[in-house]
Amino acid sequence: MRFDRIEYLNAVLEEAPQSLIIDASGRARYESHSNAETPDHAEIGNYETTLARERVEQLSGALDNPPFGSLPDHWGQVLPSDHYRRIRLVTRTETIEKMVGTRQPVNPALRELIRQLDEIANEVARHPRQILRIELAQAGISSTGEMTATLTLSNSGTEPVAYRNPVRMIGADDAHLSLQIWPDKPASELRAEDMFTVDVETATAARPSGGGEADPAVITIPSAASVSFRLQARLPSSRAGTYLTRALYETLTRAIEGNPVMTGEVFSRTVKVNIP
Amino acid sequence: MAGGCPPVATATIEILKHDGSVAETLTAPITENHFTATWIAKAQTANWRTDRHRFRFTAAGLTCTSANEFRFRQRPTTAWILMDVDHPTNNGFAPVVELHDARLEADRVHYSLKLGLTGAPFGAAKQASAKSQIETVWNNGFAAKKFHRTNCRRGRACDCAFDCCKANYRLDVNFIANGFRHVDVEIFTSPPPPAARHRSGMGRNGSHWGDPPINVTSTYPHETGHVLGQFDEYPTGGTDPSGVQPANSPVPNLMATSGNTTLLNRHYRFALAFLNNHAAGDPYEIIPP
């Protein structure tokens, strides 16, 4: 089936699904708003490339056999908040949309189509344009339970990108900057409730020289650049030992003071920290 | 009215409480041997349903006490009623539902939600914690609000301390092992970190909770909202076709923002509708607006 556009949404983060858009020329744009399912890949962002003709033709073939419009899906049955996948096929004459959740079997042909689209998304994700990557380092906990760490935001894309300033996220009711902590022990001995979360209480930026607003609401980071912040949080009383920790940067606001910003949740990779 | 009242210029009218003490004092000019005064009735005690109020008139040193009495009209009450209403959503999701019991009691709209459990173990302590959390969010969300008689002459700034013109809201959630349940919830044990926790969802069929949930503050109360008739308030969710709940709420709240437990008047609109459907034609609204 010749298509004008395919839109594929994968609701890893329900408020801001991963979005893959492919047009007839093979131009593919992928927006990632969460790395929750790929925590070792500590970034979200916008990616873009042009797919090989063979890939586009393979996708067109998958839409024909069996016809995409005839595939049974879960429309009207997916519970709000469930992890859904949505495929919208736009041709010159019609738009066909399919939706599947996690609670019922997925038609095999639809499942194969989703597999191909996930594969394409991973392929496009190798071509960053605007990236928010976060890294946690220099994490330490004092004997009084104060935790400090350095959070670095970087952009490995080819274009500058605007982020919500972590300093201005502290205490906001529509954003979270937090640290997740759990004991460093074998996965077989670990439970989900072993992890606890503390809100970052202060974030301090390294101020550039030469003036400018001290803590602007939005930071623009050029390609291949980074900015660091010193974080401070207070831990509840915890058993002494070695722990793993990671930062969570989450904002679902698409614009701050009229300026578009990167939206979503991004988890840093874990670092070890010792509770004395 | 007992006692002779000679023609004079001004009468004093005392509104008497049930115990005979004075609640309020009014004055009114006497014209052609009669006078007219208006008392905006106000409950004086918590026993307003049974209190009797008489009136005492004084003019030219003479006092007359009314033989007739004023009594407040009581709000109707109901037995438990099963609410079972689908509300279609946008974006291809299953409908949200009102699927719970409701009862109009003397001073409140009372909701009761009965949940069954299947799947992974979810012991008594976890049940108690989830019950407490859901109830606290939904009940505290109404703590600064009231259902208020629209026809109350004191208006939206009514300072009446009792419930003659006001009603509250309460939600009770209970896990039921045997017997009727409104919703069965399948429990899934979330994987350990750093893996993502299990997503939760609630509706007429197929409800499921991650244990622990993605957001320990708001997930269970948010999902419970979907069986109290509430839509998502973010654009990619199961949003409200009518727009009463905005698809992109400008105000962070339980149905819009992960981790937020704020509830707004619109989230209690079905409880208000229940009250108005059973208040014998005496309409109510939520205050403050």
Side-chain angles (χ1 to χ4, degrees):
Chain A
M1 174 184 287
R2 298 190 75 81
F3 59 87
D4 285 349
R5 189 172 70 253
I6 297 175
E7 300 170 8
Y8 170 53
L9 298 181
N10 177 2
V12 176
L13 178 64
E14 53 191 311
E15 296 93 337
Q18 317 290 69
S19 165
L20 173 66
I21 300 177
I22 306 167
D23 67 24
S25 69
R27 179 171 172 263
R29 180 181 170 89
Y30 178 58
E31 289 184 13
S32 170
H33 298 284
S34 172
N35 71 325
E37 294 188 341
T38 52
D40 285 339
H41 193 61
E43 66 180 51
I44 60 174
N46 302 323
Y47 311 80
E48 187 169 335
T49 190
T50 300
L51 302 176
R53 175 180 292 276
E54 296 76 28
R55 176 66 101 166
V56 177
E57 290 175 355
Q58 181 188 28
L59 196 54
S60 294
L63 294 167
D64 268 338
N65 188 23
F68 179 69
S70 71
L71 297 178
D73 66 344
H74 303 160
W75 193 270
Q77 302 167 61
V78 178
L79 295 179
S81 307
D82 199 6
H83 185 163
Y84 67 86
R85 285 173 169 79
R86 189 190 299 273
I87 302 172
R88 189 178 295 126
L89 173 66
V90 180
T91 71
R92 289 184 185 178
T93 57
E94 62 182 342
T95 298
I96 307 171
E97 189 167 341
K98 302 289 181 181
M99 184 178 185
V100 296
T102 62
R103 307 290 289 145
Q104 297 169 276
V106 178
N107 172 269
L110 203 46
R111 191 166 58 239
E112 168 58 21
L113 186 56
I114 289 171
R115 187 197 67 75
Q116 288 193 29
L117 290 168
D118 284 337
E119 202 170 75
I120 292 173
N122 288 336
E123 182 180 326
V124 179
R126 292 197 285 270
H127 303 273
R129 282 185 56 202
Q130 298 166 306
I131 300 300
L132 168 60
R133 180 179 181 83
I134 70 171
E135 286 183 48
L136 195 67
Q138 301 172 346
I141 301 174
S142 72
S143 59
T144 58
E146 180 181 288
M147 180 169 176
T148 56
T150 298
L151 182 72
T152 299
L153 278 62
S154 61
N155 174 18
S156 60
T158 57
E159 301 175 12
V161 64
Y163 308 119
R164 189 167 185 175
N165 186 345
V167 175
R168 299 279 293 273
M169 289 168 63
I170 307 296
D173 54 11
D174 62 344
H176 299 105
L177 187 61
S178 56
L179 297 164
Q180 297 178 334
I181 305 161
W182 61 90
D184 183 16
K185 57 184 180 182
S188 60
E189 299 174 25
L190 201 58
R191 302 169 308 157
E193 47 261 70
D194 290 335
M195 184 183 82
F196 60 95
T197 301
V198 293
D199 288 334
V200 171
E201 294 179 356
T202 65
T204 308
R207 304 238 190 289
S209 59
E213 185 181 351
D215 288 318
V218 176
I219 305 170
T220 297
I221 301 185
S223 168
S226 65
V227 61
S228 293
F229 300 84
R230 194 70 181 148
L231 307 182
Q232 177 267 330
R234 182 150 299 278
L235 269 58
S237 67
S238 308
R239 189 175 300 177
T242 304
Y243 289 75
L244 297 174
T245 183
R246 65 180 180 181
L248 167 60
Y249 173 105
E250 180 184 16
T251 174
L252 299 174
T253 302
R254 295 185 180 268
I256 304 290
E257 298 173 357
N259 300 302
V261 292
M262 186 66 65
T263 299
E265 62 178 8
V266 57
F267 300 85
S268 73
R269 287 193 289 190
T270 58
V271 296
K272 286 194 180 185
V273 68
N274 196 59
I275 294 183
Chain B
M1 198 171 78
C5 298
V8 292
T10 304
T12 300
I13 306 100
E14 293 171 308
I15 314 300
L16 303 180
K17 297 181 185 179
H18 190 76
D19 63 1
S21 62
V22 177
E24 285 186 53
T25 301
L26 310 174
T27 60
I30 297 175
T31 305
E32 295 181 3
N33 296 325
H34 75 275
F35 56 87
T36 302
T38 299
W39 175 51
I40 298 179
K42 186 173 184 177
Q44 299 299 309
T45 75
N47 298 318
W48 60 268
R49 292 174 178 81
T50 55
D51 284 350
R52 306 285 191 266
H53 297 276
R54 294 194 176 192
F55 311 96
R56 185 164 61 212
F57 310 95
T58 300
L62 295 177
T63 299
C64 316
T65 303
S66 68
N68 57 332
E69 301 173 322
F70 174 86
R71 292 163 47 191
F72 287 89
R73 183 173 61 184
Q74 297 191 43
R75 194 168 32 245
T77 59
T78 71
W80 286 110
I81 298 170
L82 173 65
M83 306 301 294
D84 186 350
V85 184
D86 279 352
H87 296 282
T89 64
N90 288 326
N91 298 331
F93 289 96
V96 297
V97 298
E98 292 175 75
L99 192 53
H100 55 83
D101 290 330
R103 181 168 75 177
L104 181 54
E105 299 173 351
D107 61 352
R108 66 185 182 185
V109 175
H110 192 177
Y111 276 11
S112 171
L113 177 63
K114 298 174 182 174
L115 302 177
L117 292 171
T118 64
F122 198 72
K126 290 186 177 181
Q127 291 177 36
S129 175
K131 167 186 166 71
S132 174
Q133 183 187 63
I134 296 166
E135 291 176 349
T136 297
V137 168
W138 280 92
N139 293 328
N140 284 358
F142 201 79
K145 307 178 198 298
K146 294 286 186 188
F147 298 117
H148 181 243
R149 284 184 67 243
T150 305
N151 292 330
C152 173
R153 296 293 183 88
R154 284 179 295 280
R156 290 173 173 171
C158 176
D159 61 350
C160 184
F162 307 105
D163 58 297
C164 61
C165 54
K166 296 176 181 174
N168 286 316
Y169 167 90
R170 172 151 186 100
L171 169 68
D172 283 321
V173 177
N174 288 290
F175 293 96
I176 305 297
N178 298 297
F180 174 79
R181 288 101 60 188
H182 297 104
V183 177
D184 282 330
V185 180
E186 184 175 1
I187 302 295
F188 288 83
T189 301
S190 289
R197 291 182 174 178
H198 181 89
R199 293 272 281 272
S200 303
M202 284 182 79
R204 181 178 293 281
N205 299 303
S207 298
H208 56 109
W209 283 0
D211 171 34
I214 287 179
N215 191 291
V216 295
T217 301
S218 64
T219 294
Y220 294 162
H222 172 99
E223 297 308 326
T224 298
H226 288 318
V227 297
L228 300 179
Q230 306 305 310
F231 298 90
D232 289 321
E233 295 186 10
Y234 51 90
T236 53
T239 56
D240 182 0
S242 78
V244 170
Q245 286 182 258
N248 191 9
S249 175
V251 178
N253 67 77
L254 178 69
M255 303 311 297
T257 314
S258 179
N260 194 293
T261 58
T262 300
L263 283 164
L264 308 171
N265 285 4
R266 59 179 176 259
H267 302 123
Y268 297 94
R269 65 193 183 286
F270 294 127
L272 175 63
F274 180 83
L275 170 57
N276 281 328
N277 287 339
H278 295 94
D282 190 17
Y284 284 73
E285 61 181 355
I286 298 176
I287 61 168

